[in-house]
Amino acid sequence: MSVSQLFDQAASARRVDKITIRRPDDFHVHLRDGAMLQAVLPFTANQFARGIIMPNLVPPVTTVEAAAAYRERILAARPEGSDFEPLMTCYLADTTTPDEIEKGFRDGVWKAAKLYPAGATTNSHFGVTDIPALAPVFERMAKIGMPVLIHGEATDPAVDIFDREAVFMEQSLLPLLKRHPGLKVVIEHVTTAETVDIVRAHASRAAGTITPHHLVINRTSIFQGGLRPHLYCLPVAKREHHRLALRKAVTSGDSCFFIGTDTAPHRRNAKEAECCSAGVFGGATALQTYVQVFDEEGALDRFEAFASVNGAQFYGIPLNRGTITLERRESRIMAAVAVDDTEVVVFQGGETLPWSVGPVVA
Ligand code: OTD
Ligand code: ZN
Ligand code: ZN
């Protein structure tokens, strides 16, 4: 037997073909409403025990009443037998009051508030135009231990789209962290190496979510062989060295990083349009993609912390009971999900992925 054959044999002896982990949560999900909610919820509910539900509906979820009603619609849309638990959020607007924030938190209606700089992404037009002016809200949130979840991109149209995250971090996030030392902050969908460092530097009270797609694509992927609208999302994917930094961050074992898929479905006609809507529908392939990344990075032993422990600990909610098994078994991913008379294109749809989602034990 040659030396390389010996190596191959040793490698395959070490190869893990199946892992069973505590049931994971998705700390950043767009479930939408109506027919879209019906169509996409089964995918998230099949993979995750709980989800932090984004409030960027039209109109946005800005009141306790609207959040409670949306929660009921999600519960009603769950597939038969599903125990998926939606964790609601409040959409921060210039008019949000500390009392409304605290009321929804104390009543157990919402777990966090979402800060969209006005105009930064899909349905963010009612977002915050002046972050420092919301200080009374942030002070109250710090006092009651309620996290703020931030879409971190500058909204000045003069800022290059690939620099918008970095500019926001310097101009808005770091000052916010300084002004409110007791505020818990989740920097959503981290896309740059610099933001990874910022999360780490504030890990005692800051965390970062990272999407499956930002671990797999870089900005060149969006233009591979032509313009690929289904890979366009916000924040837009960055250069390759950023993607590599994100893969290092998620597989580092550091407790300040956890799952937030940012699954953001849009109908095919809204994506393949003169002005393509931002968003990647990653909900159907999230765990398959994440586990593949951990496998490729030789870090399967760290997957459970990222998927099922770090986020719950940051939010101060109990860890899930029950397990999910992921298996090294090729499966061909469905290309699209039907919604009304159209469909939503699935991230990595039509491809054969090396890992499959196996049984869930509740
Ligand atoms: N990004 N699309 C959407 C939201 C996210 O900003 C995000 O978190 C959406 O469609 O709701 C997107 O590209
Ligand atoms: Zn966002
Ligand atoms: Zn989002």
Side-chain angles (χ1 to χ4, degrees), residues 14-90:
R14 274 201 316 275
R15 199 174 84 152
V16 176
D17 286 329
K18 196 184 204 179
I19 61 169
T20 296
I21 59 169
R22 189 184 286 278
R23 287 177 74 193
D25 300 309
D26 184 349
F27 286 93
H28 187 136
V29 195
H30 299 269
L31 289 179
R32 316 300 193 203
D33 215 340
M36 182 67 93
L37 168 63
Q38 287 287 344
V40 301
L41 175 59
F43 295 95
T44 292
N46 188 40
Q47 302 208 344
F48 297 101
R50 297 173 294 199
I52 284 279
I53 311 301
M54 288 297 131
N56 63 334
L57 302 183
V58 187
V61 179
T62 52
T63 64
V64 182
E65 204 185 349
Y70 184 29
R71 182 170 184 277
E72 289 307 312
R73 297 198 296 282
I74 295 169
L75 291 174
R78 291 184 303 186
E80 179 107 23
S82 170
D83 62 355
F84 177 77
E85 190 186 345
L87 308 174
M88 310 310 291
T89 59
C90 170

Side-chain angles (χ1 to χ4, degrees), residues 21-284:
I21 59 169
R22 189 184 286 278
R23 287 177 74 193
D25 300 309
D26 184 349
F27 286 93
H28 187 136
V29 195
H30 299 269
L31 289 179
R32 316 300 193 203
D33 215 340
M36 182 67 93
L37 168 63
Q38 287 287 344
V40 301
L41 175 59
F43 295 95
T44 292
N46 188 40
Q47 302 208 344
F48 297 101
R50 297 173 294 199
I52 284 279
I53 311 301
M54 288 297 131
N56 63 334
L57 302 183
V58 187
V61 179
T62 52
T63 64
V64 182
E65 204 185 349
Y70 184 29
R71 182 170 184 277
E72 289 307 312
R73 297 198 296 282
I74 295 169
L75 291 174
R78 291 184 303 186
E80 179 107 23
S82 170
D83 62 355
F84 177 77
E85 190 186 345
L87 308 174
M88 310 310 291
T89 59
C90 170
Y91 184 114
L92 292 176
D94 290 337
T95 51
T96 305
T97 65
D99 288 346
E100 181 81 356
I101 284 288
E102 178 163 0
K103 180 177 176 337
F105 189 68
R106 297 249 184 252
D107 291 353
V109 175
W110 49 46
K111 282 273 178 294
K114 181 68 192 269
L115 168 56
Y116 292 103
T121 185
T122 310
N123 300 335
S124 62
H125 308 289
F126 299 99
V128 176
T129 61
D130 183 359
I131 296 175
L134 224 53
V137 168
F138 298 133
E139 271 162 32
R140 187 72 63 88
M141 290 175 70
K143 193 168 151 210
I144 63 179
M146 179 176 171
V148 61
L149 320 180
I150 301 184
H151 180 106
E153 285 195 288
T155 51
D156 177 352
V159 176
D160 188 281
I161 191 165
F162 295 101
D163 297 334
R164 285 183 188 171
E165 182 170 311
V167 169
F168 181 88
M169 296 306 150
E170 290 302 321
Q171 293 186 350
S172 302
L173 183 87
L174 291 174
L176 176 76
L177 290 172
K178 228 178 173 162
R179 287 194 304 273
H180 301 283
L183 183 63
K184 286 169 79 172
V185 173
V186 182
I187 303 171
E188 300 291 340
H189 42 54
V190 172
T191 67
T192 75
E194 291 75 20
T195 307
V196 165
D197 292 341
I198 289 173
V199 171
R200 279 216 175 91
H202 297 85
S204 57
R205 47 80 169 241
T209 58
I210 298 184
T211 76
H213 44 282
H214 289 113
L215 296 170
V216 174
I217 63 165
N218 61 26
R219 68 186 203 175
T220 298
S221 314
I222 305 167
F223 305 96
Q224 202 80 57
L227 184 58
R228 301 194 171 260
H230 298 286
L231 299 184
Y232 170 60
C233 66
L234 291 170
V236 70
K238 307 297 191 297
R239 287 179 184 276
E240 178 64 359
H241 80 89
H242 294 293
R243 185 183 76 95
L244 297 177
L246 300 178
R247 290 170 71 101
K248 266 201 148 141
V250 297
T251 56
S252 65
D254 291 350
S255 60
C256 54
F257 298 107
F258 47 83
I259 287 184
T261 65
D262 199 12
T263 178
H266 291 277
R267 288 168 167 78
R268 186 188 277 279
N269 58 319
K271 295 292 291 177
E272 298 171 8
E274 190 172 15
C275 187
C276 162
S277 297
V280 167
F281 174 53

